[in-house]
Amino acid sequence: MTRSSHTDERDARPPGAPDNAEQADERRQPAELFRDLRTSPSGLTSREAARRQLVYGPNVLTRSGGRRWPGELLSQFTQPLAILLALAAVLAWAGGTPALSVAVVAVILLNAGFAFVQEMQAERAVEALAAFLPPTARVVRDDVRCEIAAKDLVPGDILVVSEGDRVCADARIIEGTLMLDLSSLTGESLPVTRSPEPSDETGSLLEAHELVFSGTTCSGGEAEAVVTLTGMHTELGRIAALSQRVHTERSPLEKQVRRATWIIAVVAVVIGAAFLPIGVAAGLGWSAAIGFSIGLIVANVPEGLLPTITLALAAGVRELAAGGAVVKRLSGVETLGSTTVICTDKTGTLTENRMRVTRLWLAGGEMDAARAVHEPRAALLAASAAASTTAEAPTPAQPQGSGDPTELAILRLAEELGVAIVPSQRKAARRTIFPFDAHLKRMSTVNDEAGATTVHTNGAPEAVLPCCTRLLDPQGKSVELDAALRGELSATIDGYAASGLRVLAIAHHVLDDGQKAPAERSAAESDLTLIGPGRHGRPRT
C-alpha cells in the first residue's frame, strides 16, 4: 500500500485499521473489524473497492528513496585498490609507458562496470521479496467469489485462501481453518494452524492463531479472511522497508583488501624510492633512474587482483541467487563464508528444509528405509501413507515439489519402494478426504483401490494408535493389537522422539464388500489396522 500524497502513513489506513505497533487492534473480533473496516462477509462492492484503491494505492512492495546508481557507480572508483591502480596508471604514463597506462585504466573501467551491474542486481531485495506475492487473489466482492489482480486488493476485502495459495495481504480469518507455512517470515520449517478462534498470545503478531500474513503459503485447508493491511504496511512490507534502511559496514574481505592495498602501496613506494639512489650510484642518469623506479612501483601493483575478487564474488552471488537467497551486496558472500558460529533454532532456514524417511517400524522389528525395497509390508506402508497425502512430488517443471516437507518425504519413500503415486490417479481414486486437524493430529482419506474401498490414516502416533484395533504381523496378516504390542510400540516411539526425530503412524482399513464408505470422520477413523510408524530425519544440510 503506497502513501497518498495528501495523507501520512497512519492516515492512509482505512478507518479502524490496525497499526503494527497496536497488536491488540488487529486481533479484534470479526464483528468489530467488519464495523471498523466498513465491510461485511459479503465483501466490498466493486465501486467501494475502486474508491479504496485510489486512497490506499496498489498492494505492492515499493522501493524507497530516489536513484542510487550514481553513488553506487562512483563507489567502484573510490575503492582503495582502484585508487592504487589509478595512481599506477598515472605513474606509468609519466614513466613513458602509455600502453601500460591505458591497459591499467581499461582494467579499472571494466571492473567498475561489471561490479556496478552485479551490485545493482544483488541489491534488488525488494524485488526478491515481491516474488513472494502471487499475481492474482480470490476475493468476495458484491457477494460473489471472483479472481482479481493481487495488486488491486484493498483493506476490507474478503480474501479466500485454499491449499497451495500464497497469501497476498495480512488478514484476519473469519471462517475455516488453514495450515500455513510461515518460514518466509519466521524461519520455522513446520506449518502452523490458523483458525477464527483468537488465541491468548500476547507476544508477536506472528504467533496469533487467527491471523494470516502476506508472503506465506497455505499447505492445507480453506478459509475466508478479512484483509486488514496491504502493501508496505504488511509484515512482509516491514521486512522490505528494513532491508532498505540497514546501515552497511565494511565486510571482512573489504577490510582485508584495504589493509593489503596499503601494504602493497608502501612496499612498492619503498622499493622504488630505494632503487633511485642505487641507480644513480650505479651510473644511471637521474632521468633513467626515475623512470626505472616508476617501473618498479607499477610492477608491484597487482592489476589482476581487483577483477579477480569481483568475479569470484559475482559467481558466489549467482550461486546463492539460484538457490533462492537474497544477497544485497557482493561482499556479503564473503561475510557469510567467514562466519564461524551461528546460534539459531531455525533449522529449516539453515538447511534445505527437506525431510527424509530414515527408519520403518514393522511388527517384528525395525529396518532402514533404504533397505526396505524387497519388503512387501514396507511397500504397503509407503503406499498407504502416500495415498493420504496432498503434496505433489518434484517434477521437471517443479523441481522442489509442492506441499508439506513431511508429505514430500513420504512421496519420495513411495517412489524409492516402487509404489509411487501419480497425483492425477490419487485424485481420481479419492472419494473422501478428512483433512489434517490440529486437535486430532491426524488426517484420513477414503479411496477406491483395486475394487475395494480403503481408509488410509496418518498422523501422530498418540493420535492414530487409539483408533487401531489390529496390527499387520510379520506374515502380513491382521492380528489383534494387544496391550503387550502397544507397550512395545510406545517404547519404540519414545526412543525415536528422544532422538529428535519426527514420528508418524500409518494405518488403514479395507472395507468389506457391500459396506458403505463412512461419511463421518469418527466412523472412518475407527477399527483401523496399524501398518507401522516411520520416522523422519532432520532437514538435510
Side-chain angles (χ1 to χ4, degrees):
M1 182 167 63
T2 59
R3 182 180 298 182
S4 171
S5 59
H6 300 291
T7 58
D8 64 14
E9 186 171 307
R10 182 178 297 272
D11 293 336
R13 301 173 183 271
D19 188 296
N20 283 331
E22 300 171 359
Q23 298 183 3
D25 289 347
E26 192 165 354
R27 301 172 62 177
R28 286 170 292 176
Q29 294 295 330
E32 298 177 32
L33 282 176
F34 288 147
R35 180 196 64 206
D36 295 334
L37 292 171
R38 294 202 294 270
T39 186
S40 70
S42 301
L44 300 173
T45 63
S46 299
R47 181 176 180 180
E48 175 62 16
R51 187 191 70 80
R52 295 192 183 193
Q53 180 73 17
L54 293 175
V55 175
Y56 309 126
N59 176 38
V60 296
L61 301 183
T62 58
R63 181 189 291 274
S64 63
R67 295 184 301 172
R68 295 183 298 170
W69 69 264
E72 291 287 347
L73 183 58
L74 181 61
S75 66
Q76 305 304 323
F77 295 99
T78 56
Q79 298 181 39
L81 198 53
I83 294 175
L84 182 61
L85 287 175
L87 292 175
V90 172
L91 291 175
W93 187 276
T97 53
L100 177 59
S101 177
V102 171
V104 173
V105 171
V107 168
I108 297 173
L109 294 176
L110 288 174
N111 179 81
F114 182 77
F116 169 70
V117 172
Q118 291 298 317
E119 285 282 5
M120 295 307 291
Q121 289 181 349
E123 285 208 356
R124 292 175 180 171
V126 174
E127 288 82 352
L129 291 172
F132 283 97
L133 301 181
T136 60
R138 285 181 298 148
V139 298
V140 178
R141 284 189 178 173
D142 299 311
D143 205 15
V144 176
R145 287 193 179 189
C146 59
E147 189 170 285
I148 64 171
K151 66 181 180 62
D152 294 334
L153 207 63
V154 295
D157 265 324
I158 303 300
L159 181 65
V160 181
V161 182
S162 57
E163 183 176 341
D165 290 347
R166 280 191 181 273
V167 183
C168 43
D170 288 4
R172 202 272 193 205
I173 295 179
I174 56 176
E175 181 180 345
T177 302
L178 297 175
M179 292 293 292
L180 278 185
D181 177 4
L182 297 180
S183 57
S184 59
L185 296 180
T186 65
E188 293 289 356
S189 58
L190 300 180
V192 297
T193 305
R194 292 292 183 260
S195 60
E197 294 77 19
S199 63
D200 296 329
E201 299 286 348
T202 57
S204 170
L205 280 178
L206 297 176
E207 300 174 0
H209 293 177
E210 68 276 19
L211 301 182
V212 297
F213 302 95
S214 179
T216 58
T217 304
C218 175
S219 58
E222 181 174 327
E224 292 186 357
V226 56
V227 175
T228 55
L229 298 170
T230 59
M232 294 298 288
H233 294 300
T234 63
E235 291 296 314
L236 188 65
R238 292 178 62 196
I239 295 175
L242 288 173
S243 71
Q244 300 176 72
R245 294 200 299 264
V246 174
H247 174 68
T248 58
E249 296 182 358
R250 293 192 183 98
S251 70
L253 178 63
E254 289 172 325
K255 293 177 181 177
Q256 292 171 7
V257 169
R258 181 179 291 270
R259 181 170 176 269
T261 300
W262 279 108
I263 293 175
I264 292 171
V266 170
V267 170
V269 170
V270 168
I271 292 175
F275 180 81
L276 188 59
I278 295 174
V280 173
L284 294 177
W286 280 101
S287 177
I290 292 174
F292 203 86
S293 295
I294 291 175
L296 284 176
I297 294 174
V298 174
N300 278 283
V301 177
E303 292 86 356
L305 179 59
L306 185 58
T308 298
I309 293 174
T310 301
L311 289 172
L313 293 178
V317 168
R318 289 188 177 276
E319 185 175 349
L320 288 173
V326 178
V327 183
K328 289 192 62 181
R329 301 169 61 203
L330 288 178
S331 57
V333 178
E334 187 275 335
T335 304
L336 181 62
S338 64
T339 302
T340 56
V341 177
I342 298 177
C343 300
T344 180
D345 64 347
K346 302 295 188 288
T347 56
T349 304
L350 299 180
T351 64
E352 294 181 1
N353 194 20
R354 292 177 59 192
M355 307 296 292
R356 179 172 291 275
V357 179
T358 58
R359 303 290 294 176
L360 302 176
W361 186 96
L362 301 169
E366 63 174 344
M367 65 178 63
D368 192 318
R371 300 179 180 179
V373 178
H374 303 295
E375 172 57 56
R377 289 182 299 157
L380 179 61
L381 183 149
S384 180
S388 58
T389 61
T390 56
E392 294 192 7
T395 62
Q398 195 172 22
Q400 301 300 323
S402 63
D404 182 75
T406 301
E407 292 194 353
L408 289 173
I410 292 174
L411 295 178
R412 193 177 299 113
L413 174 68
E415 182 178 2
E416 293 171 352
L417 298 185
V419 289
I421 293 182
V422 179
S424 58
Q425 296 176 346
R426 180 182 60 187
K427 183 178 181 181
R430 185 169 293 169
R431 297 179 60 177
T432 309
I433 180 171
F434 300 102
F436 180 83
D437 187 289
H439 300 291
L440 296 177
K441 297 182 180 180
R442 60 178 181 262
M443 70 169 292
S444 300
T445 61
V446 182
N447 294 7
D448 287 330
E449 299 173 354
T453 301
T454 306
V455 177
H456 298 283
T457 300
N458 79 67
E462 65 272 16
V464 175
L465 284 179
C467 303
C468 298
T469 57
R470 307 185 71 79
L471 172 70
L472 209 63
D473 70 1
Q475 288 71 43
K477 297 180 181 180
S478 178
V479 298
E480 183 180 356
L481 183 59
D482 55 25
L485 286 173
R486 289 183 185 274
E488 181 183 351
L489 272 170
S490 296
T492 301
I493 292 168
D494 290 343
Y496 289 159
S499 301
L501 299 169
R502 187 180 308 172
V503 187
L504 288 181
I506 311 299
H508 75 171
H509 177 50
V510 181
L511 303 183
D512 297 331
D513 292 339
Q515 185 177 358
K516 293 184 178 179
E520 299 294 331
R521 183 167 197 151
S522 57
E525 296 175 342
S526 62
D527 197 23
L528 298 175
T529 298
L530 181 70
I531 305 175
R535 70 178 188 178
H536 296 72
R538 297 180 178 89
R540 300 177 63 197
T541 56

